[in-house]
Amino acid sequence: MIVVKVGGSEGIDLDAVCADIAHLWSAGTRMVLVHGGSAETNRVAEALGHPPKFVTSPSGFTSRFTDRATLEIFEMVYCGKVNKGIVERLQRLGVNAVGLSGLDGRIFEGKHKDSVRSVEDGKVKVLRGDHTGTVEKVNTHLVELLLDGGYLPVLTPPGASFDGVAVNVDGDRAAAALAAAMHAEALLLLSNVPGLLRAFPDESSLIERIDASDVEAYLEFAQGRMKKKVLGAAEAVQGGVGRVIFGDARVEGPVSAALAGRGTVVS
Ligand code: ADP
């Protein structure tokens, strides 16, 4: 089976992703789709008068500061607009897709982190009231039930804390944990770039191949949220996933192209 994660950045062609998935699904490929929704969440948050706040940790990782109001907007967009938009596309293409968040059936579970360290003006500050977490456990049983019943699971953050609180989890790392737990042969991380670039944003600097034992060394090329993808790729291959491909979701047939090795292949 394969796990496909499609991001929520500008430029991603969800119609092309869904058409390709429908094609592969009807040919018998067992798969799960995980998606993001960051650009749309930013737009809705601005429109609702609660603009997004991003924090950068002392180790250089960027994440969304998720207070309760942000979490609710995040759920409206990820579990509502984006998730149902994808499920509708797939249903129209004849795929019996079921959209669930990681909170449903505790598909993605992890510890609730209430505070986050943030570097602001060169100083480290501690911000409280955060609703984030890292996926530590995946409820594969529910996902398998759906697949065995002929349904294509379409999954999205948030996840559930061990106390049942909704927590914002990173979609790439959640997809990596899912791929490892499901013993997937491949994890595709599709975004609005051709793959991991050595000199971002120069698209001709694509890194085509990374050895599984050496993924973390490539963190230095990734900026901002790309770092989470590299981390997710490392976690997936260390968790036994055969290969991880960073692929382009702006092209025709984006899933087949990535499966054929177009992008950055980690194995
Ligand atoms: P998505 O929402 O599609 O999952 P993210 O916005 O989280 O994607 O991460 C992808 C983004 O990472 C790209 O759009 C690009 O702006 C940025 N990026 C930073 N460094 C790199 C790099 N070295 N190679 C490719 N993309 C990079």
Side-chain angles (χ1 to χ4, degrees):
M1 67 95 52
I2 63 169
V3 174
V4 180
K5 156 73 184 16
V6 61
S9 298
E10 301 289 357
I12 285 174
D13 187 348
L14 283 180
D15 290 322
V17 172
C18 290
D20 203 14
I21 283 179
H23 172 71
L24 291 163
W25 181 257
S26 66
T29 309
R30 200 171 157 95
M31 65 174 117
V32 178
L33 177 61
V34 180
H35 68 83
S38 55
E40 186 62 19
T41 299
N42 294 347
R43 270 193 293 275
V44 173
E46 292 280 357
L48 291 176
H50 194 75
K53 180 175 165 107
F54 289 94
V55 295
T56 304
S57 72
S59 49
F61 287 90
T62 305
S63 59
R64 187 186 295 274
F65 181 68
T66 312
D67 59 14
R68 190 74 210 179
T70 302
L71 179 74
E72 287 171 8
I73 296 167
F74 181 93
E75 289 177 332
M76 282 167 55
V77 177
Y78 278 68
C79 316
K81 188 172 180 190
V82 180
N83 188 270
K84 296 315 146 200
I86 292 174
V87 170
E88 185 188 13
R89 281 180 179 87
L90 290 168
Q91 288 290 351
R92 291 183 67 163
L93 292 161
V95 179
N96 206 353
V98 172
L100 292 173
S101 80
L103 183 59
D104 297 284
R106 293 176 178 267
I107 294 174
F108 297 136
E109 215 177 357
K111 203 160 77 214
H112 175 188
K113 223 167 113 244
D114 171 70
S115 64
V116 65
R117 292 201 302 152
S118 164
V119 183
E120 289 171 34
D121 303 326
K123 290 197 193 111
V124 179
K125 289 188 181 167
V126 176
L127 303 176
R128 299 202 186 279
D130 199 14
H131 286 75
T132 59
T134 304
V135 178
E136 292 164 53
K137 204 174 150 217
V138 178
N139 179 2
T140 54
H141 178 69
L142 177 55
V143 181
E144 300 278 9
L145 266 181
L146 289 169
L147 286 168
D148 290 345
Y151 300 98
L152 193 157
V154 180
L155 308 180
T156 184
S161 76
F162 292 119
D163 304 320
V165 174
V167 284
N168 181 359
V169 294
D170 178 70
D172 294 303
R173 293 180 69 192
L178 175 75
M182 305 271 302
H183 311 292
E185 64 233 30
L187 166 66
L188 312 185
L189 298 174
L190 307 181
S191 185
N192 63 349
V193 278
L196 182 64
L197 306 173
R198 192 172 288 275
F200 174 77
D202 175 5
E203 297 203 356
S204 67
S205 68
L206 177 70
I207 298 166
E208 290 184 355
R209 171 97 180 82
I210 297 177
D211 196 89
S213 61
D214 201 25
V215 194
E216 270 140 4
Y218 287 80
L219 271 173
E220 69 168 288
F221 300 114
Q223 290 149 32
R225 290 180 306 159
M226 195 70 192
K227 280 190 187 293
K228 294 266 176 79
K229 288 190 201 295
V230 177
L231 206 58
E235 288 163 351
V237 288
Q238 280 153 19
V241 177
R243 58 196 178 121
V244 180
I245 301 126
F246 299 96
D248 199 336
R250 302 167 302 178
V251 301
E252 278 301 307
V255 181
S256 310
L259 273 178
R262 191 159 147 203
T264 303
V265 180
V266 184
S267 64

